[in-house]
Structures are given as C-alpha cells and as structure tokens.
Amino acid sequence: WPAGHAYLQASLRQELEEDDEWRDGDDLPEVPDREFFRLLLIRFSHVAQRLCRNAQVREYYADPSRRKQRPFIVMNRTPSEEHALCGRGSNVLLDVREGLRLMEELTCTHPACRCTFDPAKG
C-alpha cells in the first residue's frame, strides 16, 4: 500500500525533523512493520465502521419525508480535529444527493483519514 507507506514515512521524517535528527538529503526513515500494520488495522476498522454507518444513513434517507426533514448530510464529524486529514473541513454540509454519492467511496484518498457522514438539518 504505497500511499500508507509514504504517509508513515513522511510522519516519521517530520518527527525526526522536529527533534533535529533529520536533514534534507538524509535517507528517508524506514517504516517499522508494526506501524504499517497498525495503520492498516485502523484503515480496515474504519472501512467496517463506514459500511455499517453508511447503511444506516442510506436507510434513513430511503424515506422521502426524512429527506425533507433533514435535507443535508454532514461530513467529517471528527470532534478532535479541525480538518479531516483528507483536507475537507469539519462538519461540512452536503446536499443529500451529493452526500449519498460521496458515501459510495468507503475511504478517502488520505491513508489515515476517518471522515464520517451523518444526517443533518443544516
């Protein structure tokens, strides 16, 4: 998984830079297998959570009257982060159709993003 490996390498390099242990031109740090496995585990558990949550949201919006009550889907309910790692802001309101379309993508392009979708009045 090249994107996950690159993300971990960049994170490790940033930590080394902050500690003045890495300089431009140095070899990129090796990613420990344990860290790579941990990121994969987080990614898979998030996909499993999204599968379950997305099914709940789709079922909720199957009723046309609910679409009128809650015409938006809120994206990225990540209370501890101002912005999700994928670059989308926290608590972004999307039209129901757009939100349901985005929910088809079970993961973001960023390997460590954990964005979510929930019904919202707006």
Side-chain angles (χ1 to χ4, degrees):
W1 181 34
H5 188 266
Y7 166 74
L8 288 172
Q9 239 178 2
S11 297
L12 289 171
R13 190 199 76 218
Q14 186 176 10
E15 287 175 21
L16 292 171
E17 279 179 346
E18 289 171 1
D19 295 338
D20 286 332
E21 296 178 14
W22 191 89
R23 304 226 186 299
D24 285 337
D26 288 352
D27 290 336
L28 289 173
E30 285 298 316
V31 175
D33 290 342
R34 190 171 187 79
E35 287 299 310
F36 190 70
F37 178 75
R38 186 172 164 270
L39 184 62
L40 277 172
L41 185 61
I42 289 168
R43 183 72 159 198
F44 286 135
S45 66
H46 179 65
V47 168
Q49 183 268 339
R50 281 273 304 268
L51 282 169
C52 178
R53 184 65 182 143
N54 287 1
Q56 292 172 334
V57 172
R58 278 191 205 94
E59 183 179 327
Y60 181 88
Y61 281 113
D63 180 356
S65 66
R66 288 199 175 143
R67 286 182 185 226
K68 290 178 184 173
Q69 292 172 342
R70 299 207 182 263
F72 298 100
I73 290 178
V74 73
M75 182 178 175
N76 285 329
R77 271 213 178 139
T78 51
S80 63
E81 301 169 348
E82 188 174 318
H83 291 282
L85 293 171
C86 65
R88 296 181 176 111
S90 185
N91 297 322
V92 174
L93 289 178
L94 302 167
D95 175 73
V96 170
R97 287 183 303 275
E98 177 66 11
L100 291 172
R101 187 190 63 74
L102 272 177
M103 285 170 45
E104 296 301 319
E105 302 170 21
L106 287 179
T107 62
C108 286
T109 56
H110 193 285
C113 187
R114 295 179 307 208
C115 59
T116 59
F117 297 89
D118 292 296
K121 284 186 180 179

